[in-house]
Amino acid sequence: MNILIIDDHRIFSAGLTFLLDDISPNSHITKEVSCEDAIKNHTAKHTPDLILLDYNLPGAHGEQSLALIKGAFPSAIVVILSSEESHDIIHSMIKNGAAGYIPKSSDPTLFEHALKLVLIGGTYLPPQAFDTMGRRIQVADTKALTERQTQVLRHAISGKTNKVIAIELGIAEGTVKSHLSSAYEVMGVKNRTEAVLIAAKFGMAKQI
């Protein structure tokens, strides 16, 4: 597995590398300090499968840096690392395609759990993500979804954009949007963020 760390705090990146060596000892790990460097120094041989992206980066941060990286590496799993723990920021990153959000204050055991979850197609959110929205979300009935709705929803929950989903499934992007809208209605949620939160909170990723 090819792992890319994008973080301008070199000491943190070095510590993270040691942790990743224990979790996935056969991985090729690359470290960059900005999105621009990550994109510029990218080689086809080491196209990242997993990207650990710092929320606060020089020149671009938050949604802007996530958009840059998702655009450059559309097939990669992107996980946000941050000292910011606001549930609004966490929801925003998931809504914009991140497969997980790990506070930098997390202990190594939690970090390992979070990575294992996203690597099997799940979404990891810390407890802070459920401070408001999580309290009102109820378990949804996914059995009522059609096969195609289920298929599209599974891709969406894994953090892929509608465009990428359309390409991978060989359907129009408008069709993807239609299937997602229908799935949200069946599940009783308003958008992708709430669908992801349900999957993360109730372990639905494996069921869908």
Side-chain angles (χ1 to χ4, degrees):
M1 179 169 60
N2 294 324
I3 302 175
L4 171 61
I5 301 171
I6 308 177
D7 196 308
D8 61 322
H9 295 89
R10 297 181 188 275
I11 294 178
F12 180 83
S13 292
L16 193 56
T17 300
F18 283 113
L19 182 58
L20 289 168
D21 281 336
D22 288 336
I23 297 173
S24 184
N26 297 319
S27 293
H28 177 273
I29 302 173
T30 303
K31 299 187 291 293
E32 299 290 354
V33 298
S34 70
C35 295
E36 290 75 13
D37 286 347
I39 295 170
K40 179 179 65 176
N41 297 331
H42 162 253
T43 62
K45 182 179 179 181
H46 293 131
T47 297
D49 303 299
L50 172 66
I51 299 175
L52 304 178
L53 176 64
D54 184 20
Y55 179 83
N56 288 303
L57 288 170
H61 73 282
E63 294 179 13
Q64 184 180 6
S65 60
L66 179 58
L68 283 172
I69 292 304
K70 291 288 288 184
F73 308 107
S75 64
I77 297 171
V78 182
V79 175
I80 302 298
L81 304 176
S82 180
S83 57
E84 301 283 350
E85 299 187 10
S86 161
H87 67 271
D88 288 336
I89 291 176
I90 297 171
H91 292 173
S92 175
M93 292 299 98
I94 297 301
K95 179 180 179 181
N96 284 280
Y101 191 103
I102 307 175
K104 288 188 173 182
S105 59
S106 302
D107 62 46
T109 301
L110 187 149
F111 184 84
E112 181 177 355
H113 164 74
L115 286 188
K116 287 181 177 178
L117 179 61
V118 301
L119 288 174
I120 63 171
T123 301
Y124 176 77
L125 294 95
Q128 297 91 322
F130 304 109
D131 284 350
T132 55
M133 186 180 295
R135 290 174 184 167
R136 63 182 177 81
I137 291 179
Q138 303 297 319
V139 178
D141 181 14
T142 58
K143 294 179 181 179
L145 296 172
T146 67
E147 182 177 351
R148 181 59 94 176
Q149 288 169 350
T150 299
Q151 190 177 30
V152 172
L153 188 60
R154 184 184 294 115
H155 282 271
I157 287 175
S158 69
K160 296 175 183 177
T161 64
N162 289 351
K163 183 176 181 179
V164 171
I165 296 172
I167 293 172
E168 292 189 357
L169 296 182
I171 58 179
E173 188 172 350
T175 303
V176 172
K177 293 179 181 178
S178 177
H179 283 310
L180 285 175
S181 295
S182 298
Y184 298 157
E185 184 175 352
V186 170
M187 295 173 70
V189 299
K190 297 178 181 178
N191 50 45
R192 182 187 304 234
T193 303
E194 291 192 2
V196 169
L197 284 169
I198 286 176
K201 187 170 185 179
F202 298 107
M204 291 167 54
K206 295 180 181 180
Q207 302 171 24
I208 303 176

